[in-house]
């Protein structure tokens, strides 16, 4: 593969989007276009001669390979802890488009409640206490990538969600202006748009097989 990962997944965000974010955060990395879905519920990433499945395994490998996983075990433990919390919130975002119409308002309220009362306060406190630009070790890491992805994903549905979190507002601005992330946020990048009806229908058809 010559260091150029190949991503195989549906043409949408799904469980591959965190992988796209992490790859895009690495300044010298270029990755190929998406292929067809081969393993249904899991992404496939071909990298360094391996065919990797399971999102967490893929992300951990990429983070370690590109020095986004802390300098020691303590920092890795913190990164893991923060990533797990963010993943819990992102799971709610991931499943929201598939909610039945009668449940959408309730599920959106749940996302808002979890974001402002459980998850975002944790990161607001971390950033305020250590006064640094990044979550762990004052160095850009996987945790920062996951957090900015989550913030933007929640804001798509709840635009004022950060109104009570000044540290996260500043974090969002810093992360969005990092050259690699700024490029990824531009139109025409490999970032996928929010799920539309066509994507939802495609996913439902696949998983009903």
């Amino acid at each position: 593969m010559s260091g150029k990962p190949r991503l195989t997944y549906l043409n949408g965000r799904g469980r591959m989007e965190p992988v796209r974010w992490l790859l895009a955060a690495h300044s010298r990395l270029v990755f190929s276009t998406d292929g067809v879905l081969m393993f249904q519920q899991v992404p496939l990433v071909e990298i360094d001669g391996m065919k990797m499945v399971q999102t967490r395994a893929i992300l951990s490998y990429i983070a370690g390979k590109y020095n986004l996983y802390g300098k020691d075990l303590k920092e890795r433990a913190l990164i893991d802890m923060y990533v797990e919390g963010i993943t819990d919130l992102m799971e709610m975002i991931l499943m929201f488009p598939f909610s039945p119409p009668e449940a959408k308002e309730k599920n959106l309220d749940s996302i808002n409640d979890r974001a402002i009362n459980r998850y975002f306060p944790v990161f607001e406190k971390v950033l305020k206490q250590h006064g640094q630009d990044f979550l762990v070790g004052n160095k850009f890491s996987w945790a920062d990538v996951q957090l900015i992805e989550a913030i933007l994903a929640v804001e798509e549905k709840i635009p004022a969600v950060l109104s009570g979190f000044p540290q996260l507002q500043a974090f969002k601005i810093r992360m969005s202006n990092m050259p690699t992330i700024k490029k990824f946020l531009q139109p025409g990048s490999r970032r996928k748009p929010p799920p539309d009806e066509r994507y939802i229908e495609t996913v439902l058809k696949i998983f009903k097989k």
Side-chain angles (χ1 to χ4, degrees):
M1 300 301 294
S2 301
K4 183 179 180 181
R6 178 178 176 80
L7 313 185
T8 303
Y9 200 70
L10 289 170
N11 185 25
R13 288 184 179 177
R15 300 188 187 280
M16 184 66 88
E17 194 68 1
V19 178
R20 297 186 188 103
W21 268 92
L22 197 57
L23 289 173
H26 188 268
S27 61
R28 293 182 297 277
L29 194 60
V30 178
F31 53 95
S32 67
T33 57
D34 298 327
V36 297
L37 183 66
M38 295 178 64
F39 291 98
Q40 293 194 359
Q41 78 273 20
V42 294
L44 168 67
V45 173
E46 298 172 71
I47 184 171
D48 293 342
M50 298 185 294
K51 293 185 177 182
M52 299 189 69
V53 295
Q54 299 296 343
T55 306
R56 175 64 193 227
I58 293 166
L59 291 168
S60 296
Y61 183 83
I62 293 169
K65 178 179 176 67
Y66 297 111
N67 199 26
L68 297 170
Y69 208 176
K71 69 178 185 295
D72 54 32
L73 285 175
K74 182 177 179 180
E75 288 193 356
R76 286 197 171 202
L78 288 171
I79 290 169
D80 283 338
M81 182 172 65
Y82 296 151
V83 165
E84 286 296 324
I86 298 164
T87 300
D88 291 343
L89 178 60
M90 287 301 294
E91 188 70 18
M92 299 176 71
I93 298 289
L94 180 68
M95 298 309 298
F96 178 77
F98 303 96
S99 305
E102 64 274 14
K104 283 192 179 294
E105 183 176 353
K106 179 182 178 181
N107 290 347
L108 187 61
D109 287 343
S110 294
I111 291 170
N112 183 63
D113 178 67
R114 294 290 182 86
I116 66 174
N117 293 316
R118 178 179 296 185
Y119 297 109
F120 287 173
V122 171
F123 300 109
E124 178 78 7
K125 183 178 179 180
V126 169
L127 291 167
K128 185 176 181 179
Q129 284 185 336
H130 65 40
Q132 298 171 341
D133 289 345
F134 306 107
L135 288 172
V136 179
N138 202 26
K139 184 179 179 182
F140 185 53
S141 76
W142 174 19
D144 300 303
V145 179
Q146 293 280 98
L147 182 55
I148 184 59
E149 180 191 3
I151 287 171
L152 295 177
V154 176
E155 281 190 329
E156 286 176 347
K157 294 171 174 56
I158 310 165
V161 71
L162 290 187
S163 60
F165 302 100
Q167 297 294 329
L168 289 181
Q169 291 175 33
F171 175 86
K172 173 191 166 185
I173 292 171
R174 287 195 301 274
M175 294 302 104
S176 298
N177 283 312
M178 291 185 65
T180 53
I181 291 180
K182 186 174 183 178
K183 182 178 180 181
F184 188 57
L185 293 175
Q186 297 302 309
S189 78
R190 296 301 304 165
R191 186 186 184 209
K192 299 299 181 182
D196 57 16
E197 290 300 320
R198 181 178 179 182
Y199 174 78
I200 293 169
E201 289 175 5
T202 301
V203 172
L204 291 176
K205 286 179 182 178
I206 289 172
F207 293 111
K208 283 180 180 179
K209 289 181 180 180

